[in-house]
């Protein structure tokens, strides 16, 4: 919300500079974002009069002027401005003298243009940063020609003459303070913050009595949706004279960032800024039957708004309608069919209050967020609606823009609730940690128009946010002063925070991976359909992706069902920047819709996933596998199996594996498929691993037990078998472990040998086996029996042949 200091001074005596004022208001809760001080960046620019214009002796497009800048001083200035021509004299113009400073940072000095001395510069509106809307009858291109009335001001500072000096304060207004989305509200805050009395310039409006009528000029009003429209007031002005607004009004509108259109439309915008109540004005002849109905829209009802865009509504939206059509989207924007035209003679001023939630949803749905909707959605006071419409017709009379018809049509089905709160000063001091007296609290609240009588505080109509004791405490503290709060130690008992099991596992994983030379990254949970395609994500997994209803862009329209695309994009960025060796990990969530329709409110499956991605000269499948095994060891996953994976299309079919516990896949690791690498323009081999942290937590068993040092010796045997290439070593190890039973203490693969003498598609696999019985010394016969059982099962199950 922007406000000019000059407008705020209408409500309070301000005796500090604007920067200091901004600091004071920020400390009392009205946070100041920026302060723009216009006019301070214009120096030594005066009013001048052109006495003579002659042709430049050495340039066709230049002219030489003689300009009177007051006090008998005549300057010679050379210009190429198209609206300064030979022979034309008497124009009043802005003149930047030698040493002048302009808003764009330009300093003006005497110099020569094509051999002719120029002692300054005549200025246009652009050089002075003057809004052309303030002078609609002036030429924008060329020199700014002032009105003849300024001839009496020759030599005077242009900033003072044109009143260009203006301080504009931009406030950040919190959602609970819609009253401060008005100059009146900010003026009240300013007065109390400075300890000055609040000057109410609208006192006459507050005391004005206007009779209710069933209809005016044939106009009638009905509300069929009282839950969405709390109050609707209409007043009528006839014999309207459409024209430009006065300069003071245009100046104030411009200061608040609102463009002037015409006097009637400007009045509605002016009242909205001044009093915080959005209004709408429309031609009474555009209302069929002169009957206004505030109703819910019909399904697929269409309306073309003032911005000439067609909007499609449904029964959840509220419209202002006549007997045949909708003429406005309530609280958002008026319809083009009710626009004020130059030939409009009778105007209806509408001042209404709508349910903020409905306005917000409608504005969002139709893609329109206006100054009006941003106010309505925060919740406005129905009591202020009458003040606003009375102020609007008062301005009509002040500007001689029409004749106000007596009376008003006022439909008020939902009365505003009056909040009354018991003032408990002890409880407030307890909440704040202060020792403020009850009298001081009452004094602060009374200044804010929160009246206190017999320990009951009554919130004024414009403070709908003051509902309970905590709100009173906030108001007291704001003006007592945050800086007066004493620093104290916490007196209450506190709870000792602890990580849960999954958080402890995450922390351990981070330590292990960082110790292994990996760097942690953070990625978005959003991606696009193109990302899924590039990563060769399976169709089954794609179907679980959740579409975002209001995405930031097409690049972020899905909640990711897999973390692979996010990691691959980061690796591709590093490869593109010529980083030769990259090792990264990311702990984040994926999101899967496991239901038929997520719109019905089902919660999507959210899995916490560790993703490892790496490439470089010192990286291969077995390096990655070792890192994954380090993670498993650190998280106490003691019993797992490694199985070949050939169906995951994101990975190389011959260089990918799953790590399983029982039938549950807890991790997938391997080399990225060449097609996927090509999609990401990566020319190196890339290795990825995905580990489900939730499943790691499920199978983590930190149950280490003390085992005494063995008393009896171990027996070691080697075994080498010839099997088909398709037989996996994991399958062999399962058989050995099963048949050796409790006697097997350990096994180690120490050789895989291939030779044409072994046979086509054959390999030799050799293990070192360690046998031990903790209760006695094993005999050769017992070990031989175990070895025979192992060999027999290998021959039977995998067709193994003992290598001799």
């Amino acid at each position: 919300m922007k406000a000019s200091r000059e407008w705020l001074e209408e409500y309070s005596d301000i005796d500090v500079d604007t920067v200091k004022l901004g600091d004071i208001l920020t400390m009392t809760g009205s946070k100041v974002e920026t302060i723009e001080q216009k006019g301070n960046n214009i120096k030594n620019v005066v009013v001048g009069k052109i006495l003579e214009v002659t042709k430049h002796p050495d340039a066709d497009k230049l002219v030489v002027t003689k300009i009177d800048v007051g006090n008998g001083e005549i300057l010679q200035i050379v210009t190429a401005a198209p609206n300064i021509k030979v022979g034309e004299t008497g124009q009043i113009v802005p003149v930047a003298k030698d040493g002048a400073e302009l808003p764009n940072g330009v300093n003006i000095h005497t110099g020569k243009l094509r051999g002719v001395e120029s002692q300054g510069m005549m200025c246009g509106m652009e050089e002075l940063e003057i809004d052309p809307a303030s002078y609609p009858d002036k030429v924008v291109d060329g020199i700014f020609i002032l009105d003849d009335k300024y001839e009496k001001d020759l030599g005077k500072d242009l900033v003072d003459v044109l009143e260009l000096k203006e301080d504009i304060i931009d406030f950040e207004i919190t959602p609970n303070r819609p009253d401060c989305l008005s100059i009146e509200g900010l003026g009240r805050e300013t007065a109390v913050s400075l300890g000055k009395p609040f000057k109410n310039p609208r006192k006459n409006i507050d005391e004005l009595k206007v009779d209710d009528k069933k209809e005016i000029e044939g106009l009638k009003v009905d509300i069929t949706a009282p839950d969405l429209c709390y109050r609707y007031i209409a007043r009528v002005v006839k014999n309207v004279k459409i024209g430009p607004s006065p300069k003071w009004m245009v100046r104030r509108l411009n200061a608040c960032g609102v463009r002037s259109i015409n006097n009637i439309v400007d009045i509605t915008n002016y009242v909205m800024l001044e009093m915080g109540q959005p209004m709408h004005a429309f031609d009474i002849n555009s209302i069929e039957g002169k009957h206004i109905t505030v109703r819910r829209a019909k399904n697929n009802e269409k309306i073309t708004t003032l911005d000439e865009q067609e909007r499609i509504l449904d029964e959840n939206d509220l419209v202002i309608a006549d007997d045949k059509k909708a003429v406005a989207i309530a609280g958002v924007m008026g319809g083009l069919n009710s626009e004020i035209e130059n030939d409009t003679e009778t105007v209806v001023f509408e001042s209404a209050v709508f349910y903020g939630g409905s306005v917000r949803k409608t504005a969002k749905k139709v893609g329109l967020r206006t100054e009006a909707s941003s106010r309505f959605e925060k919740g406005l006071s129905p009591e202020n609606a009458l003040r606003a419409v009375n102020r609007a017709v008062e301005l009509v009379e002040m500007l001689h823009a029409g004749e106000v018809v007596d009376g008003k049509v006022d439909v008020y089905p939902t009365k505003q609730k009056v909040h009354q709160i018991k003032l408990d000063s002890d409880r407030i001091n307890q909440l704040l940690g202060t020792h403020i007296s009850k009298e001081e609290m009452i004094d602060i609240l009374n200044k804010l128009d929160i009246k206190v009588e017999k320990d009951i505080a009554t919130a004024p109509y414009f403070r709908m946010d003051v509902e309970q004791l905590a709100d009173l405490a906030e108001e007291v503290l704001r003006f007592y002063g945050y800086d007066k709060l004493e620093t104290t130690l916490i007196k209450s008992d506190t709870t000792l925070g602890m990580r849960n099991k999954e958080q402890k596992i995450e922390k351990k994983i981070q330590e292990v991976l960082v110790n292994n030379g990996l760097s942690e990254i953070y990625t978005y949970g959003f991606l696009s359909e193109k990302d899924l395609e590039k990563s060769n994500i399976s169709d089954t997994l794609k179907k679980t992706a959740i579409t975002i209803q209001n995405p930031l862009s097409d690049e972020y329209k899905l909640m990711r069902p897999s973390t692979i695309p996010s990691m691959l994009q980061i690796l591709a960025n590093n490869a593109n920047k010529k980083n030769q060796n990259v090792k990264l990990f990311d702990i984040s969530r994926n999101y899967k819709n496991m239901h038929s329709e997520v719109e019905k409110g089902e919660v999507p499956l959210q899995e916490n996933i560790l993703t490892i991605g790496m490439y470089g000269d010192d990286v291969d499948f077995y390096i990655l596998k070792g890192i994954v095994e380090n993670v498993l060891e650190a998280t106490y996953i003691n019993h797992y199996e490694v199985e070949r994976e050939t169906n995951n299309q994101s990975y190389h079919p011959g260089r990918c594996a799953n790590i399983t516990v029982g039938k549950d896949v807890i991790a997938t690791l391997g080399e990225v498929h060449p097609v996927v690498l090509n999609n990401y323009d990566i020319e190196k081999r890339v290795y990825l691993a995905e580990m489900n942290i939730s499943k790691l937590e499920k199978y983590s068993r930190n149950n280490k037990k003390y085992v005494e040092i063995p008393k009896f010796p171990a027996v070691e045997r080697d075994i080498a078998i010839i099997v088909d290439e398709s037989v996996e070593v994991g399958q062999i190890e399962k058989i050995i472990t099963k048949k050796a039973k409790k006697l097997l203490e350990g096994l180690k693969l120490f050789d895989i040998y291939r030779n044409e003498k072994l046979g086509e598609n054959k390999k030799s696999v050799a293990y070192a086996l360690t046998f031990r019985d903790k209760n006695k010394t094993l005999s050769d016969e017992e070990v031989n029996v175990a070895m025979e059982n192992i060999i027999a099962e290998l021959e039977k199950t995998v067709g193994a042949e003992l290598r001799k």
Side-chain angles (χ1 to χ4, degrees), residues 181 268-269 271-273 275-281 331-332 350-354 370-377 380 384-385 388-389:
L181 287 172
T268 62
N269 287 331
V271 172
M272 177 183 68
L273 294 172
M275 307 185 77
Q277 171 64 44
M279 296 184 63
H280 183 52
V332 181
E350 162 201 295
S351 181
V353 176
F354 310 105
T370 60
E371 288 282 349
S373 68
S374 66
R375 285 169 168 79
F376 278 122
E377 67 187 30
L380 298 181
N384 196 40
V389 74

Side-chain angles (χ1 to χ4, degrees), residues 381-432:
S381 165
E383 295 297 320
N384 196 40
L386 178 59
R387 299 175 68 247
V389 74
N390 289 339
R391 172 60 171 161
V393 297
E394 180 188 52
L395 287 169
V396 169
E397 292 180 328
M398 185 185 302
L399 302 185
H400 305 291
E403 298 174 15
V404 178
V405 178
D406 290 337
K408 67 179 187 296
V409 179
D410 186 357
V411 184
Y412 195 179
T414 309
K415 303 294 182 180
Q416 179 177 335
K417 182 180 178 181
V418 177
H419 294 294
Q420 293 186 318
I421 309 146
K422 181 174 176 55
L423 180 64
D424 186 339
S425 58
D426 292 336
R427 178 57 180 159
I428 289 177
N429 278 320
Q430 185 180 11
L431 286 171
L432 302 179

